[in-house]
Amino acid sequence: MIDPELLNYDFDEEKNGFAAPQAAVDSPALSSKEAMGRALLALGSMGIVLQVTVGIFLGSWLGILLSYGLLAAGAILIFLGRFQGTHPGIKHDGTMFRDIQNRGVLGWMLGMAITAFYVVLYFYDDLQNSWDMPPLLERPTKMLNPLAQLLSKGDANRWFLYGFLYTVAVCVFGFRMLLKYRHNKYQRFRTLSVMFFQFGFAFLLPNLLKAFHQPEFYFTYFWPLKYEYLFPNRIDTLKSSGAIGTFMVFWGLLATFVLTPILTWRFGKRWYCSWVCGCGGLAETLGDPWRQQSSNGQRSWKIEHWTIHTILILITVLTVGLWFDLGSWTASYKKSYGFFVGAIFSGVIGVGFYPLLGSRVWCRFGCPMAAILGILQRTWSKFRITTNGDQCMSCGNCSTYCEMGIDVRGYAEKGLNIVRASCVGCGICAAVCPRGVLGLENGMSPSDRFDGAQSPLLALTESIAASTVIPERKTMFPGTCEPGNCQCKEEAPES
């Protein structure tokens, strides 16, 4: 049954001067759960302020409960109030009208706040020594001392604080994803997967290793994303720590050179970028409200090809230079890479710019791990997104909410498989499609995905050549032309 209010909706563009229609109101009244959630958020924020300013309950379990505990509970109640009791399905009402989600004043303020946090986090010592910055993170880290002592047998530091906040964000906003996309089994699976790997392997296990006087190690990060894991000095340090350290070296080599190509051949790059990786986990949970901010423009598409593969080349050269001891330049090269790529790009820009450039800025434009996985996915993976062009109505939801900036609609209109190096297989395009046009599939072999897929080397060379050409937007109607483009073709958009 169609809502009578929707049937009676009238918007005369000529009478209103082609102005934008009035924004729809999400809900006329605040639910009791949302009201309670907002109250808990206010109390939790007050708890943090009191501990940071006057030290009340600082460094106690009660302090953690009255701050982060209340904040997490409040957010969960708000999410329950917004999604529980509604019909399962697409939930993007009002997204394009919210100031905070569309580079409005609130969006810019949030982006600057997150960016400022990352600047302070990464350059804390330098800012204190060179700029006389007050110890902003001293009390926030002390707040978590009970938890740090329980897990790692030591006091918390700023990296423990960061790992804690990161994990809480993935788990709390992961709960939101489970509610929002509860109609989609694949979204539930991958959300639970990133929550599990972030909590268990990126937060809990590294701290437990420290408690047993073992090297801190992240089993879900591999070279070249965790680039120091293949540096000679890091390997020597791990090997000297005993059997567990030697196993860590073995695991790093196995995961990088054996498991990565095998799993990518079977599942595409989604096995890592959307199921395991902490960077992708934060983007898919905390970053979900801003996925529509990812640019689908041709200029972004061209920049993406150059930047991500350039960074892959840079880290490869650095790793080779360190192993062959090619000169003193490697020390300054290593420091520069760590500063510009490891800190500024992946951290400050990669997360701080969520509200401005979308949730996958680092994954799309910078991550060297994503570059390797993309090459493997494009050339010899069995994964593809199939389309049913006869059912596509060109609504554009798939392209709008593709955080990697892929023009999914351009493929769907023609019924072509989507096999793109940048695709992380998040499946949101399929989840938001109102007609079920798109399907994430693992075929029998890589050879039937597109013309030329039978030869991985040919597919690779053609992809490299295509990266210098900006693809034209094709129309789904034969014999028609889009404005400014009267040479419409029938082949697929460039990959």
Side-chain angles (χ1 to χ4, degrees):
M1 180 177 180
I2 301 178
D3 188 353
E5 185 178 348
L6 180 63
L7 290 175
N8 295 329
Y9 176 76
D10 180 30
F11 182 77
D12 191 330
E13 289 185 337
E14 294 184 359
K15 186 173 73 173
N16 289 279
F18 298 93
Q22 184 179 1
V25 179
D26 289 340
S27 63
L30 198 66
S31 68
S32 59
K33 288 181 180 177
E34 285 189 80
M36 178 65 72
R38 293 188 180 188
L40 292 180
L41 286 180
L43 291 174
S45 301
M46 185 182 301
I48 290 181
V49 171
L50 289 176
Q51 292 182 69
V52 171
T53 55
V54 297
I56 297 178
F57 302 126
L58 181 65
S60 67
W61 284 106
L62 182 59
I64 294 176
L65 178 64
L66 294 178
S67 54
Y68 296 115
L70 291 179
L71 289 175
I76 288 173
L77 277 177
I78 290 176
F79 298 150
L80 284 172
R82 289 181 180 177
F83 296 111
Q84 197 176 42
T86 62
H87 293 290
I90 303 170
K91 294 290 186 298
H92 283 134
D93 297 344
T95 295
M96 300 303 174
F97 295 102
R98 296 192 184 104
D99 181 271
I100 197 170
Q101 290 182 261
N102 288 280
R103 303 189 187 102
V105 175
L106 292 178
W108 277 94
M109 291 176 61
L110 180 60
M112 289 188 291
I114 300 174
T115 301
F117 169 75
Y118 267 84
V119 169
V120 172
L121 177 76
Y122 275 94
F123 309 111
Y124 189 64
D125 295 333
D126 293 334
L127 290 172
Q128 283 191 301
N129 297 331
S130 303
W131 298 86
D132 295 326
M133 185 189 72
L136 298 178
L137 298 182
E138 181 178 350
R139 285 192 170 180
T141 56
K142 284 185 177 180
M143 289 174 60
L144 298 176
N145 274 347
L147 182 60
Q149 291 165 359
L150 175 66
L151 296 179
S152 61
K153 306 302 181 185
D155 289 340
N157 56 28
R158 73 179 192 270
W159 298 114
F160 184 89
L161 171 68
Y162 176 55
F164 173 79
L165 295 176
Y166 201 108
T167 303
V168 169
V170 170
C171 292
V172 171
F173 281 84
F175 181 77
R176 172 184 175 275
M177 286 289 290
L178 293 173
L179 291 174
K180 181 178 179 181
Y181 293 101
R182 62 188 184 275
H183 65 289
N184 189 293
K185 183 178 179 180
Y186 180 71
Q187 295 304 318
R188 298 198 305 270
F189 163 77
R190 75 182 191 90
T191 300
L192 289 172
S193 177
V194 296
M195 292 168 67
F196 168 77
F197 281 108
Q198 176 59 38
F199 176 76
F201 286 85
F203 180 69
L204 190 61
L205 184 56
N207 284 290
L208 291 177
L209 286 171
K210 292 172 63 177
F212 289 96
H213 306 289
Q214 297 297 327
E216 186 179 20
F217 193 84
Y218 297 85
F219 287 90
T220 54
Y221 289 97
F222 321 129
W223 185 91
L225 177 57
K226 198 70 172 177
Y227 46 88
E228 66 267 23
Y229 280 6
L230 280 191
F231 287 177
N233 59 341
R234 176 63 172 171
I235 289 180
D236 291 340
T237 301
L238 291 175
K239 289 170 64 178
S240 64
S241 63
I244 294 181
T246 302
F247 172 75
M248 292 173 179
V249 174
F250 169 77
W251 171 255
L253 295 172
L254 178 70
T256 299
F257 298 109
V258 179
L259 295 181
T260 292
I262 291 176
L263 291 174
T264 307
W265 168 77
R266 179 67 177 85
F267 300 107
K269 66 190 293 185
R270 59 180 173 157
W271 76 268
Y272 188 74
C273 296
S274 288
W275 301 353
V276 174
C277 179
C279 303
L282 190 70
E284 294 295 341
T285 52
L286 177 65
D288 178 71
W290 298 285
R291 62 172 58 249
Q292 72 279 354
Q293 295 302 325
S294 298
S295 172
N296 296 92
Q298 296 177 337
R299 179 180 299 177
S300 298
W301 177 88
K302 190 170 185 179
I303 293 173
E304 169 193 336
H305 275 81
W306 284 101
T307 55
I308 194 170
H309 295 105
T310 298
I311 291 177
L312 174 60
I313 293 172
L314 291 176
I315 189 57
T316 302
V317 171
L318 173 58
T319 305
V320 172
L322 290 172
W323 273 101
F324 286 92
D325 194 16
L326 297 181
S328 58
W329 64 271
T330 55
S332 58
Y333 186 2
K334 177 182 176 182
K335 184 177 181 180
S336 298
Y337 185 91
F339 177 81
F340 290 107
V341 179
I344 298 296
F345 202 162
S346 68
V348 177
I349 296 176
V351 181
F353 284 28
Y354 274 9
L356 306 177
L357 300 178
S359 57
R360 288 272 190 172
V361 179
W362 164 247
C363 307
R364 180 181 177 186
F365 294 97
C367 178
M369 181 74 178
I372 289 179
L373 293 171
I375 293 172
L376 294 174
Q377 176 169 272
R378 171 67 181 171
T379 55
W380 77 313
S381 173
K382 296 163 67 175
F383 172 70
R384 80 287 306 275
I385 299 180
T386 58
T387 63
N388 183 351
D390 292 337
Q391 294 294 320
C392 178
M393 62 182 187
S394 297
C395 68
N397 280 350
C398 51
S399 294
T400 298
Y401 293 103
C402 176
E403 58 197 347
M404 301 304 290
I406 300 173
D407 184 16
V408 181
R409 181 176 61 178
Y411 292 86
E413 288 173 342
K414 296 178 179 297
L416 299 169
N417 289 341
I418 303 170
V419 184
R420 290 283 291 269
S422 58
C423 176
V424 294
C426 69
I428 293 296
C429 58
V432 300
C433 177
R435 306 196 71 178
V437 172
L438 306 166
L440 282 70
E441 298 182 9
N442 294 322
M444 298 298 294
S445 71
S447 61
D448 61 343
R449 299 171 299 156
F450 57 90
D451 292 338
Q454 298 85 351
S455 172
L457 183 59
L458 178 61
L460 176 61
T461 55
E462 288 183 347
S463 295
I464 294 174
S467 68
T468 62
V469 180
I470 300 177
E472 295 178 351
R473 175 74 167 88
K474 313 300 190 304
T475 177
M476 68 181 293
F477 303 106
T480 63
C481 295
E482 294 185 345
N485 176 20
C486 291
Q487 294 181 347
C488 302
K489 302 177 183 178
E490 290 299 315
E491 60 265 23
E494 298 288 351
S495 297

